[in-house]
Amino acid sequence: FEISYIMACTEATLTFFERGSWPSHQRPYELLFQPPDSDFPVCNYNVVRVPNVPIHDLRPLKDTLSLDREGFLLADLNTRMDYENYFDQEKLKSIYMPEIKALLKERLGIRAAYVHECVIRRSDDKGGHLGSFGQPIPNVHTDYTHDYALELIEQLTGDKTQAETIKRSRIQMLNVWKPLKGPLRSWPLALCDLQSLARDDIVSFDEVHATAVLESQQVVYNQSQKWFYLSNQLATELIVFKSMDSTVPGEVAHASFFDPTCPNSEPPRESIELRILVVY
């Protein structure tokens, strides 16, 4: 099965790692704290903004997508959450997270799901990291490496024996993403069909915090990459994509982008994302 790319499409600028821009004797890194030595470089790599990247509309493909093939799928959510509820930690835990787990069990046939993170983002008119909520991230990246996902299992289950059992099962790290209000036009999410993402274009990267180093992955641009988004995404429409899979390898690179067709009067984006370990 191959996607036909003759469909609605926008063009936008995406931000990628610049290939070979970091010293050959170092891993690329970024410091996410203020170092004691003010002369110490905060990062050791460059990025490049690639204009006019075609980003195709997923909406015509809604019923044909697969986590095993493209790496993402779309789902409709019948939720009891109101807009204000998303800023209430107790309602997130008692209503929204169980709804998402139930949907994934019904849709995918998983045995268990463990929420690792819940991320709410609210945009201003630019991407970046500002304000009390995270901003849309314009840099193309993936969220989990294989090794990092395995390390999380014991932390999420709280049981070493159970964690070892889970490691013998098929596991995935899934991202479940949606806007809090729709239809979304401001800073939508772009996803790369994992079949079009070459391993050589994925770069291991260290996020250096004051007390820990987390490994993630950044991406360099290749014209063979196929990019998609969901036009006018509603608050009841979920994008589910995988960041790690122990059985069918592959991860979905993603980033937010400024859509040049978005009206200036469009309200800022507000979105919620659950990052979930699922066990088959």
Side-chain angles (χ1 to χ4, degrees), residues 85-97:
N85 296 157
Y86 290 101
F87 305 98
D88 183 324
Q89 289 294 321
E90 289 306 312
K91 286 191 168 59
L92 284 172
K93 292 177 181 178
S94 64
I95 300 176
Y96 187 63
M97 292 180 188

Side-chain angles (χ1 to χ4, degrees), residues 36-227:
D37 181 355
S38 60
D39 293 330
F40 194 89
V42 173
C43 67
N44 67 343
Y45 63 90
N46 296 324
V47 298
V48 58
R49 288 168 53 82
V50 179
N52 306 317
V53 177
I55 306 178
H56 304 273
D57 189 0
L58 281 172
R59 195 163 290 285
L61 305 170
K62 186 170 183 177
D63 298 324
T64 68
L65 300 168
S66 165
L67 290 179
D68 285 350
R69 191 175 51 243
E70 296 85 16
F72 42 79
L73 55 81
L74 306 178
D76 294 314
L77 177 67
N78 182 17
T79 180
R80 294 187 291 122
M81 296 283 282
D82 295 325
Y83 169 78
E84 294 79 9
N85 296 157
Y86 290 101
F87 305 98
D88 183 324
Q89 289 294 321
E90 289 306 312
K91 286 191 168 59
L92 284 172
K93 292 177 181 178
S94 64
I95 300 176
Y96 187 63
M97 292 180 188
E99 286 179 341
I100 296 300
K101 289 180 181 181
L103 182 147
L104 294 176
K105 287 180 179 180
E106 179 181 354
R107 181 76 180 261
L108 304 177
I110 60 172
R111 291 190 292 115
Y114 303 88
V115 176
H116 177 221
E117 291 181 321
C118 176
V119 180
I120 293 178
R121 300 192 187 279
R122 306 175 85 170
S123 71
D124 53 20
D125 59 349
K126 300 176 182 178
H129 292 279
L130 299 170
S132 58
F133 288 92
Q135 292 288 304
I137 306 300
N139 292 39
V140 176
H141 64 285
T142 72
D143 288 329
Y144 295 92
T145 64
H146 184 273
D147 290 345
Y148 180 36
L150 293 180
E151 289 175 10
L152 285 174
I153 296 174
E154 186 173 343
Q155 173 188 324
L156 294 176
T157 61
D159 184 312
K160 187 172 184 178
T161 301
Q162 185 181 9
E164 291 304 315
T165 301
I166 287 174
K167 288 179 183 178
R168 294 192 291 271
S169 304
R170 181 183 184 180
I171 63 171
Q172 294 172 329
M173 295 299 302
L174 299 181
N175 301 52
V176 181
W177 193 98
K178 79 178 193 75
L180 299 185
K181 294 181 177 181
L184 176 68
R185 297 184 181 92
S186 176
W187 289 96
L189 188 69
L191 307 150
C192 183
D193 181 343
L194 64 77
Q195 301 168 109
S196 71
L197 183 61
R199 296 303 308 175
D200 289 346
D201 296 333
I202 302 173
V203 180
S204 294
F205 167 80
D206 288 336
E207 297 178 356
V208 183
H209 300 258
T211 58
V213 178
L214 301 180
E215 185 181 48
S216 66
Q217 296 179 138
Q218 304 287 320
V219 176
V220 297
Y221 181 61
N222 189 317
Q223 287 187 336
S224 67
Q225 293 165 3
K226 304 300 183 184
W227 287 92

